[in-house]
Amino acid sequence: MRYELMLPHQIRAAIAANTPVILPLGVLEYHGEHMAVGMDTLAVTRVFDRLEREIDLVILPPFTYGAASLAVAGPESGTVHVDADQFKPFAEALFTGLLRTGFRNIHAVVHHQTENFAAGMPTDLAFRFAARQALFRFLEAERGEGWWGKAEMADYYAQHDAGSDPFNWISVHPLMDESLTAQYPFDHAGIGETSLMMALAPEVVDAARLDENTAWYTQSARDASAELGEKGVGLILDRWRALLT
């Protein structure tokens, strides 16, 4: 369910069931003349629109004001860049608020600049750091200083191996991991992303404007298709079914 549409009893039931909470992360960035600037956000929100039909999820309103950077095109292109230092405090406050509400199964999902996710890029790094800060401060406030060293945490490493320790209460993920991008083209406004949008949000792709593109990274978009996009969507859904169920 969409969190903003939920009634209090539904929120309590979701917390009791440890229902996954999804926070879509995105940016507003130029994706060629043929595609909407919200592509990175839409890739996440539209995938979870589909997954929500299969499994119980709590989907938070998306955060769309990430660090797009101006590496692809200047601000006159429609890109809106916000430095990560500006929204990291917001991210920590948001995660703290979700923890205080009672959620313990929170997943922030990003598609922007995730080809080297292990190293990280400003948007995902800001949210990852904010998640850790929120967890440490929340746990210290709830359990007191020295909480990790207390006797009741003696099974911490067993919890860690099982994925149930407190540091798993919040995770930040790429929409597509390396195993998936080995099977589907990962690009910027090329065949891969354009095909995804043809499948997930066809209203934001205007094939008639492909000829207006001059950037190298858009050239393969001419070969995009909804069929290829559906292949990618299927792979993404398979990955997330495995992660969340």
Side-chain angles (χ1 to χ4, degrees), residues 10-55:
Q10 294 170 315
I11 294 171
R12 291 191 291 269
I15 292 168
N18 202 32
T19 301
V21 177
I22 306 299
L23 171 60
L25 304 179
V27 300
L28 299 170
E29 182 184 34
Y30 181 72
H31 278 76
E33 297 297 314
H34 68 289
M35 197 154 56
V37 296
M39 183 275 154
D40 288 326
T41 309
L42 287 166
V44 178
T45 57
R46 295 296 175 93
V47 161
F48 284 97
D49 283 347
R50 293 198 187 187
L51 192 59
E52 185 189 18
R53 301 170 196 163
E54 302 178 26
I55 64 176

Side-chain angles (χ1 to χ4, degrees), residues 88-167:
K88 186 174 69 65
F90 162 82
E92 184 177 336
L94 174 59
F95 286 137
T96 299
L98 293 169
L99 291 170
R100 292 187 67 191
T101 297
F103 293 112
R104 301 290 184 268
N105 192 6
I106 302 161
H107 302 267
V109 185
V110 62
H111 179 63
H112 176 65
Q113 296 179 331
T114 57
E115 60 268 31
N116 295 303
F117 193 75
M121 285 290 194
T123 299
D124 63 87
L125 286 174
F127 273 87
R128 283 195 263 182
F129 184 65
R132 286 291 174 260
Q133 288 286 88
L135 281 165
F136 271 108
R137 289 173 178 166
F138 178 81
L139 289 165
E140 185 173 312
E142 185 182 64
R143 303 180 182 185
E145 294 180 351
W147 64 269
W148 190 87
K150 293 179 181 178
E152 54 265 33
M153 289 300 297
D155 64 345
Y156 168 79
Y157 288 107
Q159 292 181 44
H160 178 77
D161 290 342
S164 59
D165 69 274
F167 297 114

